[in-house]
Each structure stands twice: as C-alpha cells, then as structure tokens.
Amino acid sequence: MKFFRQTFESLRFAWQALRSNLLRTTLSLLGVTVGIFAIIGVFTIVDSLERSIRQSLATIGTDVVYVQKWPWNFGGEFQWWKYFQWPETSYSDYKFLAERMEGAEAVVAMGFKGGLTAKNGNNSMDALIQGMTYDFNKVSDVEIEKGRYFTPQEIDAGRSVAIIGAEIAETLFPNDPEPIGKSFKIKGLNYSVIGVQKKKGKGLFDIAGNPDTKVLLPFLTFAKSFQNRINSSVSIVVKGKPEDDGLVELEAEIVGLLRTKRGLKPSQTTNFSINRPEAATKAVSSLFGVITLVGWVIGSFSILVGGFGIANIMFVSVKERTNLIGIQKSLGAKNYFILFQFLFEAIFLSLIGGMVGIGLVYLMSFIQLGTLEIVLSPKNIILGLSVSSIIGVLAGIVPAFGAARMDPVEAIRAK
C-alpha cells in the first residue's frame, strides 16, 4: 500500500509541475503533436482509401475469377500486341463453361454499355447498362430495397425487365415512392421495373460503375438491344465453391475446358486471360505500404525532435528542483518515488502531445475530400497513444534516473 500511495504522490507531483509551467509545457509537446499528427494522419487516410477501394472491389465479387480477353495489368510490360490477336470471350464460351464446370458454385456472363440515357416522360438520366445471367447475385452484391431479383424464366426468355439503381429511380420517378411495375425507355425500347437497388452513394473508386446509376437487364435482353448479336464480347465470372480451398483448381479447370472448346493444341499458348480481383487488392496494398512508410519517416523526424525537446525540458526541470529532491530524500523518499515524478512528467508531456495530435486528426475527419470518408479508427488511436507513451519513457528515463541517484546532502546545498 505504501508503494501505491507513493506512486500516486509521484503522479500528483508530476501533474503539479506541468500545471505550474503551462507555457513551457505547451512548447514542449508541440514536437510530439506534429509527429503523431503526421503518422496517424497518414495512417488514417491510407486506411480510409484502402477501405473505399476494398468496398469497390466487393462490387465485382469476392473469391471469383474473371475470364476475359485482356489481362489486368498491375505493373511490368503489357504485351498488348499479343493480346490484341486473341479472340473475344463470348456467350458461347460462357455456355460451354456453365454446362461443364464441376468446381464452380456459379458461372456468370456479363456485358456493359455506357453513354446511354434512361427516360420516363420529361425525366431522363445517363445510365450504365449491365446485362447478366441469373447467378449474378451469387458473385456480386445486389441489395434490393424494393421489388425483387430476376427469375430464371425472365433471364432465359430475355424479357424486357430491369433492376434500377436508387438515383435512377429518384430521377425517373421523382414523385412515385413505388416505381415497381412502371416502365421507362432506353433508345426507344420499353423496360419494366421489377426492382430498385438500395442506395449506396458514389464511391471513390467505382470499378464496376456506381450501382446507383446502373440499369441491370437479363443478358439476352441486353445482347439483343445493345450488342446486336449474342456472341459479342462478354466478361465471364466464375465463383468457386465455399468448401474449396483457393482458386488454383478452379482456374485449372477453366483453362482445361476453354482450351478444349477453342481447339488449342498442347503446344499452343492459352489465348484468354484469367483475372483475379485479389490482384488489384495486392497492387493497391503495396502502393499504400510505400505511403505508410513515408508517413512513418516524416512523422519519426518530428517525434524525434519532440523527444529531444521533452528530454531537454526534463533536464531543466531536474536542475530547478534539485533542492526539493534533496529535501524529499532527506525526509525518507525512496529513489523510485523521485524517479517516478520525472518519468511521469515526461510521459504526461508526450501523452498530451499525442492526444492533441490525434484530436487534430479527428477534426480532419470532418473535412470532405471528394467522396472519400475519413474515419479515425480505434487501432490508430491506440497506436498514437502507444507511440507517445514510448517517446515519453525514452525522453524522461535518463533525467529521472539522474534525479533519483542524487545525494540528498549535495542536492540540498545545490544552488
């Protein structure tokens, strides 16, 4: 109990010392404040960017592979002249895979057409038209707020039905809270609304297009209206079964089947690409890793300067209170009691600086950076406070040891 009581007294002494020198305290913690703000600010922005990108990638599916003519390029030489000669992936490729794949939970054909206008009377809006086969909702997130998803019969028959985004529903049917069953036109063709997607808002990286401004159609309807022929270029998405580990076996099955369908000999190279969304995630993560490292370097210099500043102030503080240290030790104060006073003072200085820096980052989160939502996570708060505490210990340990080892008689005589 005596140890805890004296430790509490050390905390009180340290706090009183900081309060009695407010100007010096404020100037001392500025270096740590700037350093923590730089590090946690960079981490927070990087985390927010990465979260936004991952959310965008979720719209193109997880645990899936894309079979396409062109590979996704994330560095290195892009041999476009070779890929240019490859045939387009087609609806017949999709049918071949869908009928024969054993390791797939879903096989989907997709097509896109931009630059079109959806109209309803005098209301109109630019929209991205996307055609897909029935299992699309198994490979991508389709949240229906009103109405329903397509039925297999609507997909197979190529009926003129559509699922529209929230912004399209608000623009084409501004005074109608229930647009289900109503019709609108694209290029003079009528489509009946069977569903409205939940509003998601514009993302920073809408890789597959903003879902709020999309019109989803059965693939055959899309191909007939906007591609003129069914076997135009399509993207084929294949999702593996949940019980399977990894996508290696799935990719091998796709390669084997599609090479057979295209009549490729063993000596001939594969003339299609298998793309993974994970490749985009890895490329983004490596880029953010560099940005994070830069943040550490910039912030570390500021924190280092702040640490030296706190250490300097602590040496001055020990010098000013030498007589008090002598009196305390002559009255029976233990070495750890003296050590804790100055160590706690240094830690308090650094922690306050860190909290101010974190507070500035929190205020920064209210600034609107386009469509990017900046969120200060608990992980970054804990990191900032931890770094501050460590800097406080390192900056205060030497002056505190010096104070604790003073001879009481010489300390009392000191001027």
Side-chain angles (χ1 to χ4, degrees), residues 212-224:
D212 294 341
T213 59
K214 270 187 182 181
V215 174
L216 305 183
L217 301 175
F219 183 82
L220 295 181
T221 306
F222 169 84
K224 180 176 58 178

Side-chain angles (χ1 to χ4, degrees), residues 347-411:
I347 293 173
F348 280 159
L349 269 174
S350 191
L351 269 177
I352 293 171
M355 285 189 286
V356 173
I358 292 171
L360 292 176
V361 176
Y362 177 71
L363 292 177
M364 183 181 70
S365 66
F366 290 99
I367 300 174
Q368 190 71 27
L369 298 178
T371 58
L372 177 63
E373 182 184 6
I374 300 177
V375 178
L376 178 60
S377 66
K379 178 191 70 175
N380 286 331
I381 294 175
I382 293 171
L383 176 63
L385 295 178
S386 300
V387 171
S388 301
S389 301
I390 292 170
I391 292 300
V393 171
L394 294 177
I397 194 68
V398 174
F401 263 119
R405 296 175 64 182
M406 283 185 179
D407 181 84
V409 177
E410 294 181 3

Side-chain angles (χ1 to χ4, degrees), residues 134-176:
Y134 180 68
D135 286 335
F136 176 73
N137 61 344
K138 293 183 180 179
V139 301
S140 185
D141 186 18
V142 182
E143 295 185 65
I144 305 296
E145 184 175 40
K146 298 176 182 177
R148 58 174 176 81
Y149 187 68
F150 301 109
T151 64
Q153 293 77 15
E154 289 169 338
I155 295 288
D156 295 339
R159 293 178 183 166
S160 298
V161 292
I163 297 173
I164 60 177
E167 285 188 31
I168 292 181
E170 293 169 0
T171 303
L172 299 188
F173 308 98
N175 300 315
D176 191 345

